[in-house]
Amino acid sequence: MIVAASKPFQEIKQMLSGFKKVCVLGCGSCVTICHTGGEKQVTELAAQIRLSAKLEGRQIEVIEDSTLRQCEWEFIDDVKEIIKNCDAILSIACGVGVQYVAERFPKIRVFPGVNTTFMGGPIEQGIFWERCGGCGNCILGTTGGLCPVSRCAKSLLNGPCGGSQNGKCEVSQETPCVWNQIYDQLDTQQLLATMETIVPPKDWTTGMENHPRKMILEHLVMKK
Amino acid sequence: MLTNKACATSDKKINEEAPCILSCPIRQDARDYVQLIARGRFSEAYRLVRERNPLPSACGRICTHPCETKCRRNSTESPIAIAWLKRFLGDNFSEETRKKTTEKYPEKIAIIGAGPAGLAAANDLALLGYSCTIFESNPTPGGMLRMGVPPYRLPRTAIDNDVEFIKKLGVEIKYNTTLGADITFDSLKKEGFSTIFISVGLLESRTLNIEGVTLGGVLKGVSFLHEANTTGNAKIGKNVLVIGGGAVAMDCARTALRLKPDKVSVACLESRKEMPTTDFEIEETIHEGAILYNSVGPKRILGKNGRVAGLETLKVKYVFDEQKRFNPAFYESSESIIEADTIILAIGQASNLSFLKGQEGIQVTRGGTIIVNPNTFSASVQGIYAGGDIVLGRGTMTESMAQGKKAAIAIHNILRNTALQDEKWAEKPAVPDIAESRIPLIKKEQKHDMPTMPSDKRLTNFDEVELGFPLNTAVKEAQRCMNCGAGAFVDDNLCVGCLTCVRVCPFEVPKIKKGDTTAYIDGDCQSCGLCIVECPAKAISFKTPLEDRGKNTLDAVFQEKFIQGVKPLIINFYCQYSAYNEDKADTVDSLLFLHVKRIGMLGLGKVDPSLYLKAFELGAHGVLVTACKDDDCHFCKEREWVERRTRFTARLLSGLGMDTKRFQTHFVSSQNGKEIIEIIFKMVEELRNLL
């Protein structure tokens, strides 16, 4: 899933300064699951905005709502009526959702309430790790199911590097060295020999080097 | 609200009912009144009881409480003292409950007998809008409650209090009026009573068909109790033997003990485990000094000079045969003798149908009970209905009340040609037993003992033995309740399957089964509310409206007119589980009434951090969270959650530039002790300086 982190409140406050009627709009998908953009966070953020205004003697009306997914036109249309009288929308969906909302309501200012951070998941309650770099050319089959593109600080394809110390990455002692983990995993699977194969440079044009990417499923495309 | 999703439907919420409610013949809302007591909402609890139960004070004392037998707390240690809690309400609270209907129907209804069935029928018929008159042969109300149940178990004031309520509904009771003697079916009809409900009970004692029953000194249980209960002195000798093993036998023995003979014994067919009364009654009987002979059957009563000299008994092989029918068998040549100069037969009751003379149309069974249609309670003559022991043959107080209540609706439906139904009697599955693996996760909390009169003081009088729960004990006892069937539930339409509930539940209740996309919370939910707060999709809520997680209470605080002028105003969110740890239950409230508004909850794990923000938003100058210390936590794990959430809230508030003194969290052992008063005083002072 897409993981997003809440923006600092001061930044949000700054973005919303001057607006009188704001809708805090949550998204019921990835950001709900990572506890930064669901209905619960809509309530909390709206309360913060109202309280902040009260403390500073400002007037602001805050409307709270959510959609099932902000990255679908049909779901956004569900909140059309509520949004139409607002001066601004604070979307706490990922960047995709924010853009969909902005595109659907071109006359209303739309602001992001979260920083979209990475593709990953919770390894335990409240702790999320990046797990995929979206490189467009997956090699997990040869690395024991561990992604060096997203989990190695250097995205090395032939690791580990000299910075791997006692199983940790030299960049941060909190971060396990994924190449150390790949080694252990391949050892478990009795595939250590594959470590000796030199992987040639990857075709990065399928990844972030080639924005914006697009996917077409021709069998599903309907004629307009 | 995710607008593209349907809202939860109410019938989805409550699919399983608490066993305590289902097992009650009148479907008393046991769980809910216990939960209200646990929250200190006594008047509401009383009202809830009274709305369903016409005789709460009496019921709280002598009910056989099948609710407690079925209570799911039996799996962890012992059941909730549901009946004693009802008594606590009946003894200490009293107020107008249900409004009388504005409907007034012309039919006059005669009810024969002011026992539990008759009183219940009159109560419910009056509430439906009928004018009811009860004809009672005794000079006082209560029926067998008064004639049969000794005052040391059920003080007469308790019966009178209950009956007073029924009378207030407009029910008239005519005493000293016996059907068949003072009034007849015909005379009632002439007086305009188109409908007659017979609830005369079983007034005779069953007798034994053995040698010697006619000897002097052989007494019938019901007559003995009637005599003792009305005059206070029945004639007995020095060595009394009660035959029987049920509640009436125990009553006879304990009553006899108070008449100061040298010795009182009880002999019954059943083994101790088979005896058809509660353990508590048996224990109290033995405790007061009676000697119990189990598994002995009466062979003959021995006499001397025309008076009882003893009972010859046989050893019992079995009481119930393979088909579980009552069919006792004895060992041959196992005779022994229990000496006695008085024998009281308490082996069951029988009807006296003499009032039916000339009413041959009313069909009766061979056992002497009146035959009625089980759905309509109508006897075989139009306009005549019957219920209670005279139909059941042998029933408990609550079973009789249930008959009266059901008959009231049936009579109404026939008279009005309607199909009114009491939804409480609808069939529902019971919340299943607690999963074995979960029992160790639930905190053991022992049942509170009923304070009783010291045994050396009991036998000199007929004063009530059980003294009733004091307020703190009642609340603590009620707080053991697991709120079965009313805990959290997941709205399938809102759940995103994020697994948060699965991970945070301290009792490991929520599950997402293979193939499902949403979480499911079963009846083992302990109602801590942690998952409700943590659910990012707000998909989880409590099944009953009883638990608002502080929201309505907070709103209500700011509805008060004078509140805006109070400075500083502190909202104190506190845990009710430690609110009754000290005797002075309302010290804090009265001391700091002006500056502190308190919002109590059964566990602060139910509080959303956004509610703390809302308190400030509504105008509070400070928010004080006072939670239980570790060892006190009813749910075992809430402290860490309270810490986590209050830290999170504090961070949000300091992000808004708020002084940290305005939001404080403390862990205290009592919500009413010195410690908390000091905390509050200090905070009020700090805020005074700040504002």
Side-chain angles (χ1 to χ4, degrees), chain A residues 95-113:
Chain A
V96 183
V98 178
Q99 292 184 57
Y100 266 60
V101 173
E103 195 171 334
R104 206 56 161 183
F105 304 106
K107 288 184 182 162
I108 302 174
R109 292 289 301 276
V110 177
F111 298 100

Side-chain angles (χ1 to χ4, degrees), chain B residues 80-136:
Chain B
I80 310 296
I82 301 172
W84 289 343
L85 288 173
K86 174 159 32 208
R87 172 183 163 177
F88 162 74
L89 294 173
D91 283 1
N92 298 290
F93 301 89
S94 168
E95 59 181 275
E96 212 51 63
T97 53
R98 276 198 294 197
K99 284 194 188 106
K100 275 182 272 176
T101 173
T102 47
E103 206 76 62
K104 274 273 165 252
Y105 298 118
E107 291 88 351
K108 281 168 71 184
I109 297 172
I111 291 163
I112 315 299
L119 289 168
N123 181 79
D124 285 19
L125 281 164
L127 286 168
L128 283 164
Y130 294 92
S131 135
C132 300
T133 307
I134 305 180
F135 297 92
E136 167 60 49

Side-chain angles (χ1 to χ4, degrees), chain A residues 9-10 35 39 43 50 78, chain B residues 1 4 500 538 617 655-656:
Chain A
F9 185 72
Q10 286 306 322
H35 299 261
E39 289 220 51
T43 310
R50 277 193 293 264
D78 282 339
Chain B
M1 174 60 67
N4 50 305
T500 299
K538 289 192 185 173
E617 203 186 312
L656 302 179

Side-chain angles (χ1 to χ4, degrees), chain B residues 187-237:
Chain B
S187 73
L188 285 173
K189 284 213 169 115
K190 267 183 210 153
E191 280 183 55
F193 292 101
S194 59
T195 300
I196 299 169
F197 178 67
I198 304 170
S199 51
V200 294
L202 303 175
L203 302 176
E204 304 287 326
S205 278
R206 271 213 216 122
T207 183
L208 278 169
N209 195 14
I210 56 171
E211 186 187 323
V213 285
T214 53
L215 286 166
V218 179
L219 308 176
K220 291 179 172 180
V222 173
S223 325
F224 165 70
L225 287 173
H226 190 174
E227 182 81 24
N229 291 338
T230 47
T231 67
N233 48 37
K235 280 185 188 127
I236 54 166

Side-chain angles (χ1 to χ4, degrees), chain A residues 1-210:
Chain A
M1 68 176 173
I2 295 173
V3 177
S6 301
K7 271 188 181 291
F9 185 72
Q10 286 306 322
E11 188 184 337
I12 292 174
K13 199 173 108 182
Q14 212 133 38
M15 289 192 290
L16 297 180
S17 82
F19 293 103
K20 296 275 179 247
K21 189 170 178 180
V22 176
C23 175
V24 180
L25 191 63
C27 173
S29 299
C30 309
V31 288
T32 292
I33 295 171
C34 72
H35 299 261
T36 49
E39 289 220 51
K40 179 177 156 68
Q41 287 73 38
V42 169
T43 310
E44 281 166 9
L45 193 49
Q48 267 179 287
I49 295 168
R50 277 193 293 264
L51 188 53
S52 160
K54 186 185 167 87
L55 291 171
E56 292 166 16
R58 289 183 281 112
Q59 290 288 320
I60 191 164
E61 187 184 346
V62 187
I63 290 165
E64 303 168 29
D65 215 323
S66 268
T67 63
L68 180 58
R69 290 200 296 279
Q70 278 189 29
C71 53
E72 302 279 7
W73 307 123
E74 290 86 343
F75 290 150
I76 298 175
D77 286 345
D78 282 339
V79 292
K80 199 162 57 185
E81 283 306 307
I82 291 156
I83 279 176
K84 101 180 155 193
N85 298 317
C86 294
D87 313 328
I89 300 165
L90 181 69
S91 162
I92 52 173
C94 70
V96 183
V98 178
Q99 292 184 57
Y100 266 60
V101 173
E103 195 171 334
R104 206 56 161 183
F105 304 106
K107 288 184 182 162
I108 302 174
R109 292 289 301 276
V110 177
F111 298 100
V114 296
N115 291 322
T116 308
T117 315
F118 53 75
M119 283 183 276
I123 54 154
E124 61 182 86
Q125 182 65 10
I127 301 178
F128 299 83
W129 273 95
E130 184 170 11
R131 282 287 191 260
C132 176
C135 69
N137 190 1
C138 190
I139 54 162
L140 284 169
T142 61
T143 57
L146 292 127
C147 173
V149 175
S150 59
R151 296 169 72 173
C152 168
K154 299 176 187 167
S155 297
L156 287 181
L157 299 180
N158 295 286
C161 71
S164 176
Q165 299 290 324
N166 302 321
K168 300 286 181 193
C169 174
E170 67 177 336
V171 172
S172 161
Q173 278 301 299
E174 265 186 85
T175 313
C177 168
V178 75
W179 273 107
N180 194 84
Q181 292 174 302
I182 292 170
Y183 182 95
D184 289 344
Q185 178 66 358
L186 292 178
D187 190 13
T188 310
Q189 296 177 347
Q190 297 190 334
L191 291 169
L192 263 188
T194 56
M195 287 289 287
E196 290 180 14
T197 314
I198 305 293
V199 182
K202 194 166 148 56
D203 174 10
W204 294 106
T205 60
T206 53
M208 295 201 188
E209 303 301 309
N210 195 17

